[in-house]
Amino acid sequence: MDKGRFAVPAAVTDWAIAVGVAALLLGTGLSGPHPAGGRALLGSVLLAAGGLALAARRRAPLVVLGVTGLSAVGYLAAGFEVLAVSYLVAVYGTVRAGHRAVAVAASVGLVAVLHLTALVSHDGPAREVVAQARNTLEIAWLIAAFAAGEAVRQAERRADEAERTREETARRRADEERLRIARELHDSLTHQISVIKVQSEVAVHVARRRGEQVPEALLAIQEAGREASRELRATLEALRDDDTTPPPGLDHISNLVQGFRTTGLETTLTIEGHPHDVPAAVGRTAYRIVQESLTNVARHAAATTVSVLIDFRPDALAIRVDDNGKATPHLTPRPGLGLLGMRERVTALGGRLRTEPHSAGGFTVQAELPTNGAS
């Protein structure tokens, strides 16, 4: 629910209610018949304590319920006949938090204890003593506080359920739209790109067999066709990912590295730190970083070796991919869509990405992804 730009923090509201109830109890108690001397001071302290305890009713509703109940017993014993407003508010908060059985049991016990306290600490006919106890905790007010707490709890539960339903509906519609776009892309682009790619490769092959010089424009078309085909496949895979199968994560990196060894690239994987569970988004991003880095090495770097390092830190996951390719500080490769996509993934998680050539040759990709202490 939108609370507006000038919404009052919950803590401020709780303290305002607590101070207001404490002032109400003190004002009511001291303005009516009350004892003098030490009993008056003790009763006033208990009245104020019962009200101020309400400041913690959201964080510790059961504790506040106990404190307000004991304060009501205490100031009744001291000689103050004041309605236990603080306890009624505590009952409301306890029921709203879902502790209905505890609220009922505590209230039944408190009613009995208040009557016993009145019998022990007050003189006079039994009817007057019972009336004193009733004045401290009216059953009707107690039922009203319980009902109000339950009504608000049910309303909040229905609101939460409605919010979850809206989110599920929006997610389902987004999945349907994503699949529709994937189908349209596949139907409209895949065939055309495949034709361009095949025709350009055939033209290059025929020209080389004839011993002719292949035009630069034709080579550019060939490379563009390969790149477009790869990017389209990656886009379709992302669009068709409907969460029916777990996306690749940290557990799949070893198989990924092993797969690149079959291309003739000497690839090593090193795990440092103490492996632990990380958020799913972090695991997916780590896999994509390693995948894109190894793909770039295999296609562009002219490297013979590449090393992958996964470092589990207490609050972050660090990834480093180094190769011995042809990149140098004086020959920096132009960032492509793969590196840009990699940076977007890392930035979305609040991490850091560093990509640069080595001074002695080769290229490095370093990423640090916060895990927020996940374990």
Side-chain angles (χ1 to χ4, degrees):
M1 182 174 64
D2 185 7
K3 297 183 180 179
R5 294 178 58 188
F6 303 102
V8 179
V12 175
T13 303
D14 290 345
W15 272 107
I17 293 174
V19 172
V21 172
L24 174 65
L25 291 174
L26 282 171
T28 303
L30 295 177
S31 63
H34 62 277
R39 294 178 64 188
L41 178 61
L42 175 61
S44 299
V45 170
L46 291 173
L47 287 168
L52 294 177
L54 295 175
R57 63 188 176 89
R58 295 179 194 268
R59 300 187 300 274
L62 297 181
V63 174
V64 172
L65 185 71
V67 171
T68 54
L70 292 175
S71 68
V73 173
Y75 65 67
L76 175 63
F80 286 86
E81 298 178 21
V82 180
L83 178 65
V85 178
S86 58
Y87 182 78
L88 296 176
V89 176
V91 168
Y92 162 82
T94 302
V95 174
R96 181 179 177 181
H99 306 294
R100 292 173 294 180
V102 176
V104 170
S107 298
V108 171
L110 181 60
V111 170
V113 171
L114 287 175
H115 281 79
L116 291 175
T117 301
L119 289 172
V120 172
S121 60
H122 293 77
D123 297 328
R127 180 178 298 178
E128 293 182 2
V129 172
V130 171
Q132 291 171 344
R134 187 182 302 117
N135 289 337
T136 301
L137 187 61
E138 287 279 358
I139 301 298
W141 283 107
L142 185 60
I143 294 174
F146 189 97
E150 179 64 14
V152 173
R153 189 183 74 85
Q154 293 290 347
E156 291 176 340
R157 189 181 68 177
R158 287 193 296 270
D160 292 340
E161 183 64 27
E163 182 66 24
R164 284 194 296 270
T165 302
R166 282 195 296 270
E167 292 177 355
E168 291 173 358
T169 301
R171 188 180 302 111
R172 184 174 62 253
R173 289 176 178 173
D175 290 341
E176 293 172 354
E177 180 65 13
R178 189 172 64 243
L179 292 175
R180 185 187 67 80
I181 293 173
R183 286 193 297 268
E184 290 185 358
L185 283 175
H186 181 272
D187 295 341
S188 62
L189 294 180
T190 302
H191 176 69
Q192 287 83 349
I193 291 177
S194 297
V195 170
I196 293 172
K197 178 172 174 289
V198 171
Q199 293 291 345
S200 62
E201 290 179 349
V202 169
V204 170
H205 177 70
V206 170
R208 285 174 175 168
R209 284 192 61 183
R210 292 176 178 176
E212 300 173 355
Q213 183 178 1
V214 181
E216 292 293 333
L218 188 56
L219 292 175
I221 293 174
Q222 181 189 41
E223 180 61 26
R226 291 174 179 174
E227 183 69 17
S229 179
R230 186 180 72 86
E231 293 295 339
L232 181 59
R233 282 198 305 271
T235 301
L236 291 176
E237 288 176 3
L239 288 173
R240 287 168 174 166
D241 181 12
D242 57 357
D243 296 332
T244 56
T245 57
L250 285 176
D251 295 339
H252 301 83
I253 290 181
S254 59
N255 293 333
L256 177 66
V257 172
Q258 182 66 34
F260 273 87
R261 289 174 184 158
T262 61
T263 65
L265 190 63
E266 184 180 340
T267 309
T268 59
L269 174 63
T270 304
I271 306 295
E272 293 186 354
H274 299 285
H276 56 74
D277 293 335
V278 300
V282 173
R284 290 195 299 268
T285 299
Y287 178 88
R288 294 304 184 192
I289 289 172
V290 175
Q291 181 186 46
E292 184 63 32
S293 299
L294 292 178
T295 300
N296 288 339
V297 171
R299 295 186 60 202
H300 306 299
T304 57
T305 63
V306 59
S307 62
V308 178
L309 171 65
I310 306 295
D311 184 8
F312 288 88
R313 300 174 182 174
D315 57 352
L317 181 72
I319 304 102
R320 177 166 182 158
V321 182
D322 295 293
D323 67 71
N324 66 344
K326 61 184 180 181
T328 65
H330 304 292
L331 184 61
T332 303
R334 185 177 61 183
L337 294 177
L339 288 178
L340 292 177
M342 191 187 303
R343 188 173 299 279
E344 290 174 356
R345 287 176 179 271
V346 173
T347 302
L349 295 177
R352 294 180 294 177
L353 178 69
R354 181 182 176 188
T355 59
E356 61 183 5
H358 291 298
S359 58
F363 199 77
T364 182
V365 175
Q366 301 178 44
E368 184 174 320
L369 307 174
T371 58
N372 300 321
S375 60

